[in-house]
Amino acid sequence: MAINKVVASVTEAVQGIESGMTFMFGGFGLCGIPENAIAAVRASGIKELTCISNNAGVDGFGLGLLLETRQVKKMISSYVGENDEFERQMLSGELDVELIPQGTLAERCRAAGAGIPAFFTPAGYGTEVAIGKEVRWFNGKPHLLEHAFNADFAFVKAQKGDTAGNLIFNATARNFNHAMAMAGKITVAEVEELVPVGELDPNEIHTPGIFVQRIFKGAHFEKRIENRTVRK
Amino acid sequence: MALDKNGIAQRIAQELKHGYYVNLGIGIPTLVANYIPKGIDVEFQSENGMLGMGPFPIDGEESADLINAGKQTITAEPGATFFDSSTSFAMIRGQHVHLTVLGAMEVSDQGDIANWKIPGKMVKGMGGAMDLVASAQNIIVAMMHINRAGESKLLRQCTLPLTGVKCVSKVVTELAVMEITDNGFKLLERAPGVSVEQIQQATEGRLIIEGEIPEMKL
């Protein structure tokens, strides 16, 4: 029998979150973000969070919601350009920000889930990203030693999931969700559609349920478009 | 006459070859997709997780789940694939992408590039740029030759925080096409009606001028 990962609500899904923890949030920009988990973390009022997420949302949406309430102590991201409140908190020193290359961010998530404590990558050599990092040469090129992340919770969002926690994403909404699902000590998946085991074709599953500890059907997805662009 | 942004994109598009997988950065590089030479097939990679990126959608057909790395709504070409971010950067780091085109604030005559941070002013992050420039074998920079203050952006040494070192292969600006060599920017082509003197004047870094410099053909 498949193991049942279903929790009844987002409140149950975020059981155990505490101030001072490190969270991963899937998504690229506002695409594929775990909207329901973000709302629940905000409602919980916990503080001093370290958030690992490619971006930091926008003012009033996505992770912007947790910045607004000053729940975030440190943000680890690759690009944070769309958020005025973020920029204000960063420049005033209220918010600690670590900017890292996007591929390094993805690999530090994947490595965490794959049991690889650290790895070498060429990204960032010769830049301020390299400061304090071990350099080794392979195949005639310099590489930096980068470490796997360590996250208490990973919050991810998928299009479809089954009760065993198997996930299927839609289009580019997959982005960081897969590697973060692998990485979380507790991975919470919210899905638009939750189906009984057996309904998903095993050939089509993107993230096996072994990486997911809790799954629930999100009550509401706004799925806001950050930069609506159409053909002229 | 100096090129406009579309002219720069049009000239860079001539560098596309049949069978290339190409990553286009935000800004002028995005425009390159409008000028794919006839008769060749290329696929565009978007580092947020897709290959086979198509044009912007028709009004009403846009999806929140289908965006490019600039977070713009896009479409998928037949044969497109979606994948997760770590796989996307495996393609980039593993040198499966043949050509990377990106913008820059400064380029040095040794091929260093700065395009992610202006200390105290603009702090948005590097996104995927550092991974791209550290691994790609063929990097073309699309940029304006001089900044708004009239200063050269093609320098002996970059003054802004670097994105990568010794990585750029070519630079295409509104004035010229240049190749990075061990001895500096080698001038390959002039924009139509632009003189070698104009290019020399706009270039702070070492500029190598050998023989007659042809005009770009657009």
Coordinates of all heavy atoms in Angstrom, one line a residue, chain A residues 23-90:
Chain A
F23 N 13.8 28.0 5.8 CA 12.8 27.5 4.9 C 13.2 27.6 3.5 O 13.8 28.6 3.1 CB 11.4 28.2 5.1 CG 10.8 28.1 6.4 CD1 9.8 29.0 6.8 CD2 11.1 27.0 7.3 CE1 9.1 28.9 8.0 CE2 10.4 26.9 8.5 CZ 9.5 27.8 8.9
M24 N 12.9 26.7 2.7 CA 13.0 26.8 1.2 C 11.6 27.1 0.6 O 10.6 26.5 1.1 CB 13.5 25.5 0.6 CG 15.0 25.3 0.8 SD 15.5 23.7 0.2 CE 17.2 23.8 0.4
F25 N 11.5 28.0 -0.3 CA 10.3 28.2 -1.0 C 10.5 28.0 -2.5 O 11.4 28.7 -3.1 CB 9.8 29.6 -0.8 CG 9.3 29.9 0.6 CD1 10.2 30.4 1.6 CD2 8.0 29.6 1.0 CE1 9.8 30.6 2.9 CE2 7.7 29.8 2.4 CZ 8.5 30.3 3.3
G26 N 9.8 27.1 -3.2 CA 9.9 26.9 -4.6 C 9.4 28.1 -5.4 O 8.7 29.0 -4.8
G27 N 9.6 28.1 -6.7 CA 9.1 29.2 -7.5 C 10.2 29.9 -8.2 O 11.4 29.9 -7.8
F28 N 9.8 30.5 -9.3 CA 10.8 31.4 -10.1 C 10.0 32.7 -10.3 O 8.9 32.6 -11.0 CB 11.2 30.8 -11.4 CG 12.2 31.6 -12.1 CD1 13.6 31.2 -12.0 CD2 11.9 32.7 -12.9 CE1 14.5 31.9 -12.7 CE2 12.8 33.4 -13.6 CZ 14.2 33.0 -13.5
G29 N 10.4 33.8 -9.7 CA 9.5 35.0 -9.8 C 8.2 34.6 -9.0 O 8.3 34.0 -7.9
L30 N 7.1 34.8 -9.6 CA 5.8 34.4 -8.9 C 5.3 33.1 -9.5 O 4.2 32.7 -9.2 CB 4.8 35.5 -9.1 CG 5.2 36.9 -8.5 CD1 4.0 37.9 -8.8 CD2 5.5 36.8 -7.1
C31 N 6.1 32.5 -10.4 CA 5.6 31.3 -11.1 C 5.9 30.0 -10.3 O 7.1 29.7 -10.0 CB 6.4 31.2 -12.5 SG 6.0 29.8 -13.5
G32 N 4.9 29.3 -9.9 CA 5.1 28.1 -9.2 C 5.4 28.3 -7.7 O 6.1 27.5 -7.1
I33 N 4.9 29.4 -7.1 CA 5.2 29.6 -5.7 C 4.2 28.9 -4.8 O 3.0 28.9 -5.2 CB 5.4 31.1 -5.3 CG1 4.1 31.9 -5.6 CG2 6.6 31.7 -6.0 CD1 4.1 33.3 -5.1
P34 N 4.6 28.5 -3.6 CA 3.6 27.9 -2.7 C 2.8 28.9 -1.9 O 3.1 29.3 -0.8 CB 4.5 27.1 -1.7 CG 5.8 27.8 -1.7 CD 5.9 28.5 -3.1
E35 N 1.8 29.4 -2.6 CA 1.0 30.6 -2.1 C 0.4 30.3 -0.7 O 0.3 31.1 0.2 CB -0.1 31.0 -3.1 CG 0.4 31.5 -4.4 CD -0.8 31.9 -5.3 OE1 -1.8 32.3 -4.8 OE2 -0.6 31.8 -6.5
N36 N -0.2 29.0 -0.6 CA -0.9 28.7 0.6 C 0.0 28.6 1.8 O -0.3 29.0 2.9 CB -1.7 27.4 0.4 CG -2.8 27.6 -0.6 OD1 -3.9 28.1 -0.2 ND2 -2.5 27.3 -1.9
A37 N 1.2 28.0 1.6 CA 2.2 27.9 2.7 C 2.7 29.2 3.1 O 2.9 29.5 4.3 CB 3.3 27.0 2.3
I38 N 2.9 30.1 2.1 CA 3.4 31.5 2.5 C 2.4 32.2 3.4 O 2.7 32.8 4.4 CB 3.7 32.3 1.2 CG1 4.9 31.7 0.4 CG2 3.9 33.8 1.5 CD1 5.1 32.3 -1.0
A39 N 1.1 32.0 3.0 CA 0.0 32.7 3.8 C 0.0 32.1 5.2 O -0.2 32.8 6.2 CB -1.3 32.5 3.1
A40 N 0.2 30.8 5.3 CA 0.2 30.1 6.6 C 1.4 30.5 7.5 O 1.3 30.7 8.7 CB 0.2 28.6 6.5
V41 N 2.6 30.7 6.9 CA 3.7 31.1 7.6 C 3.5 32.5 8.1 O 3.8 32.9 9.3 CB 5.0 31.0 6.8 CG1 6.2 31.7 7.5 CG2 5.4 29.6 6.4
R42 N 2.9 33.4 7.2 CA 2.6 34.7 7.6 C 1.7 34.8 8.8 O 1.9 35.4 9.8 CB 2.0 35.5 6.5 CG 1.6 36.9 6.8 CD 1.3 37.7 5.6 NE 0.5 38.9 5.9 CZ 0.7 40.1 5.5 NH1 1.7 40.3 4.7 NH2 -0.1 41.1 5.8
A43 N 0.6 34.0 8.7 CA -0.4 33.9 9.8 C 0.1 33.4 11.1 O -0.3 33.8 12.2 CB -1.6 33.0 9.3
S44 N 1.1 32.5 11.0 CA 1.7 32.0 12.3 C 2.5 33.0 13.1 O 2.6 32.8 14.3 CB 2.7 30.8 11.9 OG 3.9 31.4 11.4
G45 N 2.9 34.0 12.4 CA 3.6 35.1 13.1 C 5.1 34.8 13.5 O 5.7 35.6 14.2
I46 N 5.6 33.6 13.2 CA 6.9 33.3 13.5 C 7.9 34.2 12.9 O 7.6 34.8 11.8 CB 7.3 31.8 13.2 CG1 7.1 31.5 11.7 CG2 6.5 30.8 14.1 CD1 7.7 30.2 11.3
K47 N 9.1 34.4 13.5 CA 10.0 35.4 13.0 C 11.4 34.9 12.9 O 11.7 33.7 13.1 CB 10.0 36.6 14.0 CG 8.8 37.4 14.0 CD 8.9 38.7 14.8 CE 7.9 39.8 14.5 NZ 6.7 39.5 13.9
E48 N 12.3 35.8 12.5 CA 13.8 35.5 12.4 C 14.0 34.3 11.4 O 14.9 33.4 11.7 CB 14.3 35.1 13.8 CG 14.2 36.2 14.8 CD 15.3 37.2 14.7 OE1 16.5 36.9 14.7 OE2 14.9 38.4 14.5
L49 N 13.3 34.3 10.3 CA 13.4 33.2 9.4 C 14.6 33.4 8.4 O 14.8 34.6 8.0 CB 12.1 33.0 8.6 CG 10.9 32.7 9.5 CD1 9.6 32.8 8.6 CD2 11.0 31.4 10.1
T50 N 15.2 32.3 8.0 CA 16.1 32.4 6.9 C 15.4 31.7 5.7 O 14.9 30.6 5.9 CB 17.4 31.6 7.2 OG1 18.1 32.2 8.2 CG2 18.3 31.5 6.0
C51 N 15.2 32.5 4.6 CA 14.5 32.0 3.5 C 15.3 31.8 2.3 O 16.1 32.7 1.9 CB 13.3 32.9 3.1 SG 12.1 33.1 4.4
I52 N 15.3 30.6 1.8 CA 16.0 30.2 0.5 C 15.0 30.2 -0.6 O 14.1 29.4 -0.6 CB 16.7 28.9 0.7 CG1 17.7 28.9 1.9 CG2 17.5 28.5 -0.6 CD1 18.2 27.5 2.3
S53 N 15.2 31.1 -1.5 CA 14.2 31.2 -2.6 C 14.9 31.9 -3.7 O 15.6 32.9 -3.5 CB 12.9 31.9 -2.2 OG 12.1 32.3 -3.3
N54 N 14.7 31.5 -5.0 CA 15.4 32.2 -6.1 C 15.1 33.7 -6.1 O 16.0 34.5 -6.4 CB 15.0 31.6 -7.4 CG 15.8 32.1 -8.5 OD1 17.1 32.1 -8.5 ND2 15.2 32.7 -9.6
N55 N 13.9 34.1 -5.8 CA 13.5 35.5 -5.8 C 12.8 35.8 -4.4 O 12.5 34.9 -3.7 CB 12.6 35.8 -6.9 CG 13.1 35.2 -8.3 OD1 12.8 34.1 -8.6 ND2 13.9 36.0 -8.9
A56 N 12.5 37.1 -4.3 CA 11.9 37.5 -3.0 C 10.5 38.0 -3.1 O 10.0 38.8 -2.3 CB 12.8 38.5 -2.3
G57 N 9.8 37.6 -4.2 CA 8.4 38.0 -4.4 C 8.4 39.5 -4.9 O 9.4 40.0 -5.3
V58 N 7.2 40.0 -4.8 CA 7.0 41.4 -5.2 C 6.3 42.1 -4.0 O 5.9 41.4 -3.0 CB 6.1 41.6 -6.4 CG1 6.8 41.0 -7.6 CG2 4.8 41.0 -6.3
D59 N 6.2 43.4 -4.0 CA 5.5 44.1 -2.9 C 4.1 43.5 -2.7 O 3.3 43.5 -3.7 CB 5.5 45.6 -3.1 CG 6.9 46.2 -3.0 OD1 7.4 46.1 -1.9 OD2 7.4 46.7 -4.0
G60 N 3.8 43.0 -1.6 CA 2.4 42.5 -1.3 C 2.0 41.1 -1.9 O 0.9 40.7 -1.8
F61 N 3.0 40.4 -2.5 CA 2.6 39.1 -3.0 C 3.9 38.2 -3.0 O 5.0 38.7 -3.0 CB 2.0 39.1 -4.4 CG 1.4 37.9 -4.8 CD1 0.2 37.4 -4.1 CD2 1.9 37.1 -5.8 CE1 -0.4 36.2 -4.5 CE2 1.2 35.9 -6.2 CZ 0.1 35.5 -5.6
G62 N 3.6 36.9 -2.9 CA 4.7 35.9 -2.8 C 5.5 36.2 -1.5 O 4.8 36.5 -0.4
L63 N 6.8 36.1 -1.5 CA 7.5 36.2 -0.2 C 7.5 37.7 0.2 O 7.9 38.0 1.4 CB 9.0 35.8 -0.4 CG 9.2 34.2 -0.5 CD1 10.6 33.9 -0.5 CD2 8.5 33.6 0.7
G64 N 7.1 38.6 -0.7 CA 6.9 40.0 -0.2 C 6.0 40.1 1.0 O 6.1 41.0 1.8
L65 N 5.1 39.1 1.1 CA 4.1 39.1 2.2 C 4.8 38.8 3.6 O 4.4 39.3 4.6 CB 3.1 38.0 2.0 CG 2.1 38.2 0.9 CD1 1.3 36.9 0.6 CD2 1.2 39.4 1.3
L66 N 5.9 38.1 3.6 CA 6.7 37.8 4.8 C 7.7 38.9 5.1 O 8.1 39.1 6.3 CB 7.4 36.5 4.7 CG 6.6 35.2 4.4 CD1 7.5 34.0 4.5 CD2 5.4 35.1 5.4
L67 N 8.1 39.7 4.1 CA 9.0 40.8 4.3 C 8.2 41.9 4.9 O 8.7 42.6 5.8 CB 9.6 41.2 2.9 CG 10.6 40.2 2.3 CD1 10.8 40.5 0.8 CD2 11.9 40.2 3.1
E68 N 7.0 42.1 4.4 CA 6.1 43.2 4.9 C 5.9 43.1 6.4 O 5.9 44.1 7.1 CB 4.7 42.9 4.2 CG 3.9 44.1 3.8 CD 2.7 43.6 3.0 OE1 1.8 43.0 3.5 OE2 2.7 43.9 1.8
T69 N 5.8 41.9 6.9 CA 5.6 41.6 8.3 C 6.9 41.5 9.1 O 6.9 41.1 10.3 CB 4.7 40.4 8.5 OG1 5.2 39.4 7.7 CG2 3.3 40.6 8.1
R70 N 8.0 41.7 8.4 CA 9.4 41.6 9.1 C 9.6 40.2 9.7 O 10.3 40.1 10.7 CB 9.6 42.7 10.2 CG 9.1 44.0 9.8 CD 10.2 44.7 9.0 NE 9.7 45.9 8.3 CZ 9.7 47.1 8.9 NH1 10.2 47.3 10.1 NH2 9.2 48.1 8.2
Q71 N 9.1 39.2 9.0 CA 9.3 37.8 9.6 C 10.7 37.2 9.1 O 11.1 36.2 9.6 CB 8.2 36.9 9.2 CG 6.9 37.2 10.0 CD 5.7 36.5 9.4 OE1 5.1 37.0 8.5 NE2 5.4 35.3 9.9
V72 N 11.3 37.9 8.1 CA 12.5 37.3 7.5 C 13.7 38.0 8.0 O 13.8 39.3 8.0 CB 12.4 37.4 6.0 CG1 13.6 36.8 5.3 CG2 11.1 36.8 5.4
K73 N 14.7 37.2 8.5 CA 15.9 37.8 9.0 C 17.0 37.8 7.9 O 17.7 38.7 7.7 CB 16.4 36.9 10.2 CG 17.8 37.3 10.8 CD 18.2 36.3 11.8 CE 18.7 35.0 11.1 NZ 19.2 34.0 12.0
K74 N 16.9 36.7 7.1 CA 17.9 36.5 6.1 C 17.3 35.9 4.8 O 16.5 35.0 4.9 CB 19.1 35.6 6.6 CG 20.1 35.4 5.5 CD 21.3 34.7 6.1 CE 22.4 34.5 5.0 NZ 23.6 33.9 5.4
M75 N 17.7 36.4 3.7 CA 17.2 36.0 2.4 C 18.4 35.4 1.6 O 19.4 36.1 1.5 CB 16.6 37.2 1.7 CG 15.6 36.9 0.7 SD 14.1 36.2 1.2 CE 14.0 35.0 -0.1
I76 N 18.3 34.2 1.1 CA 19.3 33.7 0.2 C 18.6 33.5 -1.2 O 17.7 32.7 -1.3 CB 19.8 32.3 0.7 CG1 20.4 32.5 2.2 CG2 20.9 31.7 -0.2 CD1 20.9 31.2 2.8
S77 N 19.1 34.2 -2.1 CA 18.4 34.3 -3.5 C 19.4 34.6 -4.5 O 20.6 34.9 -4.3 CB 17.4 35.5 -3.5 OG 16.5 35.4 -2.5
S78 N 19.0 34.5 -5.8 CA 19.9 34.8 -6.9 C 19.5 36.2 -7.5 O 20.3 36.9 -8.1 CB 19.9 33.8 -8.0 OG 18.9 33.9 -8.9
Y79 N 18.2 36.5 -7.4 CA 17.8 37.8 -8.0 C 16.6 38.4 -7.2 O 15.6 37.7 -7.0 CB 17.4 37.5 -9.5 CG 17.1 38.8 -10.3 CD1 18.2 39.5 -10.9 CD2 15.8 39.3 -10.4 CE1 18.0 40.7 -11.5 CE2 15.6 40.5 -11.1 CZ 16.7 41.2 -11.7 OH 16.5 42.3 -12.3
V80 N 16.7 39.6 -6.9 CA 15.7 40.2 -5.9 C 15.2 41.5 -6.5 O 14.7 42.4 -5.7 CB 16.3 40.4 -4.5 CG1 16.6 39.0 -3.9 CG2 17.6 41.2 -4.6
G81 N 15.3 41.7 -7.8 CA 15.1 43.0 -8.3 C 13.7 43.6 -8.4 O 13.5 44.7 -8.9
E82 N 12.6 42.9 -7.9 CA 11.3 43.3 -8.2 C 10.5 43.8 -6.9 O 9.3 43.8 -6.9 CB 10.5 42.2 -8.9 CG 11.2 41.2 -9.7 CD 11.7 41.9 -11.0 OE1 11.3 43.0 -11.3 OE2 12.5 41.3 -11.7
N83 N 11.3 44.1 -5.9 CA 10.6 44.3 -4.6 C 11.2 45.5 -3.9 O 12.3 45.5 -3.3 CB 10.8 43.0 -3.8 CG 9.9 42.9 -2.6 OD1 9.7 43.9 -1.9 ND2 9.4 41.8 -2.3
D84 N 10.4 46.6 -3.8 CA 10.8 47.9 -3.2 C 11.1 47.7 -1.7 O 12.0 48.2 -1.1 CB 9.8 49.0 -3.4 CG 9.8 49.4 -4.9 OD1 10.8 49.1 -5.6 OD2 8.7 49.9 -5.3
E85 N 10.1 47.0 -1.0 CA 10.3 46.8 0.4 C 11.5 46.0 0.8 O 12.3 46.3 1.7 CB 9.0 46.1 1.0 CG 9.0 45.8 2.5 CD 9.2 47.0 3.4 OE1 9.0 48.1 2.9 OE2 9.5 46.8 4.6
F86 N 11.8 45.0 -0.1 CA 13.0 44.2 0.1 C 14.2 45.1 0.0 O 15.1 45.1 0.8 CB 13.0 43.2 -1.1 CG 14.3 42.3 -1.0 CD1 14.2 41.0 -0.4 CD2 15.5 42.7 -1.5 CE1 15.3 40.2 -0.3 CE2 16.6 41.9 -1.5 CZ 16.5 40.6 -0.9
E87 N 14.3 45.9 -1.1 CA 15.4 46.8 -1.3 C 15.6 47.8 -0.1 O 16.7 48.0 0.3 CB 15.2 47.6 -2.6 CG 16.5 48.1 -3.1 CD 16.5 48.4 -4.6 OE1 15.8 47.7 -5.3 OE2 17.2 49.3 -5.0
R88 N 14.5 48.3 0.4 CA 14.6 49.2 1.5 C 15.2 48.5 2.7 O 16.1 49.0 3.4 CB 13.2 49.7 1.8 CG 13.1 50.9 2.8 CD 11.8 51.2 3.4 NE 11.3 50.1 4.3 CZ 11.8 49.8 5.4 NH1 12.8 50.4 5.9 NH2 11.3 48.7 6.1
Q89 N 14.6 47.3 3.1 CA 15.1 46.6 4.2 C 16.6 46.2 4.1 O 17.4 46.1 5.0 CB 14.3 45.3 4.5 CG 12.9 45.6 5.0 CD 12.1 44.4 5.4 OE1 12.7 43.3 5.7 NE2 10.8 44.5 5.3
M90 N 17.0 45.9 2.8 CA 18.4 45.4 2.6 C 19.3 46.6 2.8 O 20.3 46.5 3.4 CB 18.5 44.8 1.2 CG 19.9 44.5 0.8 SD 20.0 43.5 -0.7 CE 19.4 44.6 -1.9

